[in-house]
Amino acid sequence: MRAVAYKTPQPISAETSLIDVELPMPEAGGHDLLVEIKAVSVNPVDVKVRAHSAPPADELKVLGWDAAGIVKAIGADVTLFRPGDEVFYSGVISRPGSNAEFHLVDERIVGTKPKSLDFAAAAALPLTSITAYEALFDRLKVQDAVSGAGRSILIIGGAGGVGSIAIQIARALTDLTVIATASRPETQDWVKELGAHHVVDHSKPIAPQVAALGIGAPGFIFSTTNTDSHIGDIVEAIAPQGRFALIDDPKTLDIVPFKRKAVSVHWELMFTRPLYGTPDMIEQHKLLNKISELVDAGKIRTTLSEIVGPINAANLKTAHAMVESGRMKGKAVLAGF
């Protein structure tokens, strides 16, 4: 089968940073689905792994986690899907990725593709939807109010892949006032279109802008990018006893300033459940199905912003460069081989 892989970590500009290869066809066993890949999207995790993670000597590493496709075969223990089902999912970082014609994935982290979306539009959603949903409801527990705080959430990096879907999930499933950050006119317009009640500019001090809204200190803050640059504003802006979640990888993170406000700090990594095979791993199947239902009901829209082209090394290099630029709006997708 055709696939895109790499042998050594290199800058994306290097000729062999990603290469087209032929690999053996995988076989489904246990809880695995064999999925014929129709579309994939590129996330910051793809970029980070490609740049820093070296596969064993003389071996190839296939990236790609977001995917949409058709189930072609199933393992003996599969109960949730059958061949012919259209699915979407984000896989797990410890297994070969979805930048291939066929891919194995555990059924318990797979959802039924939204009927109203084509494969490209669906492929933009899984990883960011799981990340945003788990951050909001499993980590921040936004369903439980913070005493005395404004019934609001500040989402830092609102126009990125995770921010774009977090805004929509918060609007569709909560009564929170959503404050999103964006710094350029086009990204500010984007987050407004997605449902943000208020937009503040993260290229300027954030806390004074939030205070100027006059709606009270937010009980919840969700940082999707550049947390180390914004940590002072986060400490200042958040309500006492508030909850703060982040998903990026700051080189250092001093959380001591949160102590005075008794703020709880939460990490979100959507790979944790499948990586450790947690007893509640199937929650990702359930929440992807919920996202699918919300999409088909018109309450959430895809965050696809650009289809780069078919799945090959050249187009994946273009998509990686787009993500590395730090100026992405929504998600970049590749469709077909």
Side-chain angles (χ1 to χ4, degrees), residues 13 16 22 55 87 105 143 160 183 205 215 218-219 241 303 310 332:
S13 58
T16 57
E22 287 284 336
V87 296
V105 61
Q143 62 273 29
S183 61
I215 59 174
Q241 302 186 94
T303 53

Side-chain angles (χ1 to χ4, degrees), residues 74-93:
I74 61 175
D77 299 326
V78 169
T79 62
L80 301 174
F81 298 96
R82 290 290 177 263
D85 289 346
E86 296 184 350
V87 296
F88 72 147
Y89 61 89
S90 58
V92 60
I93 201 166

Side-chain angles (χ1 to χ4, degrees), residues 6-254:
Y6 72 97
K7 289 185 177 180
T8 58
Q10 300 178 76
I12 197 60
S13 58
E15 184 178 352
T16 57
S17 58
L18 293 170
I19 56 176
D20 294 304
V21 299
E22 287 284 336
L23 296 176
M25 175 74 75
E27 295 184 6
H31 282 282
D32 277 347
L33 311 175
L34 178 65
V35 178
E36 180 182 3
I37 300 298
K38 296 296 186 181
V40 298
S41 71
V42 176
N43 294 280
V45 64
D46 298 71
V47 168
K48 292 173 186 176
V49 173
R50 189 214 76 244
H52 302 294
S53 179
D58 299 322
E59 291 189 17
L60 294 165
K61 188 175 185 68
V62 178
L63 299 172
W65 288 280
D66 267 338
I70 300 172
V71 177
K72 286 299 179 183
I74 61 175
D77 299 326
V78 169
T79 62
L80 301 174
F81 298 96
R82 290 290 177 263
D85 289 346
E86 296 184 350
V87 296
F88 72 147
Y89 61 89
S90 58
V92 60
I93 201 166
S94 58
R95 301 185 70 177
S98 58
N99 293 339
E101 284 187 277
F102 295 90
H103 186 233
L104 292 178
V105 61
D106 191 300
E107 63 170 339
R108 292 167 291 186
I109 57 172
V110 175
T112 298
K113 183 184 78 67
K115 295 179 176 61
S116 58
L117 297 183
D118 62 17
F119 288 105
L125 290 171
L127 187 146
T128 54
S129 294
I130 296 171
T131 300
Y133 192 99
E134 288 185 346
L136 293 174
F137 297 104
D138 296 335
R139 314 296 171 231
L140 291 174
K141 297 190 183 299
V142 297
Q143 62 273 29
D144 299 331
V146 173
S147 178
R151 187 71 183 140
S152 60
I153 183 169
L154 170 64
I155 299 173
I156 296 174
V162 173
S164 292
I165 194 67
I167 291 168
Q168 296 186 76
I169 292 174
R171 286 300 309 267
L173 299 179
T174 79
D175 63 352
L176 294 170
T177 296
V178 177
I179 309 162
T181 79
S183 61
R184 292 175 284 135
E186 61 268 31
T187 53
Q188 291 172 347
D189 289 343
W190 172 259
V191 299
K192 290 175 184 175
E193 290 173 14
L194 296 175
H197 294 94
H198 304 283
V199 183
V200 299
D201 184 348
H202 55 235
S203 69
K204 303 172 182 177
I206 294 173
Q209 296 178 75
V210 172
L213 297 175
I215 59 174
F220 311 103
I221 296 182
F222 180 26
S223 180
T224 69
T225 185
N226 295 319
T227 298
D228 43 359
S229 300
H230 301 304
I231 195 70
D233 274 310
I234 293 166
V235 172
E236 182 180 345
I238 198 166
Q241 302 186 94
R243 304 182 200 118
F244 167 56
L246 69 157
I247 60 170
D248 60 329
D249 301 300
K251 292 181 180 178
T252 60
L253 184 67
D254 181 9

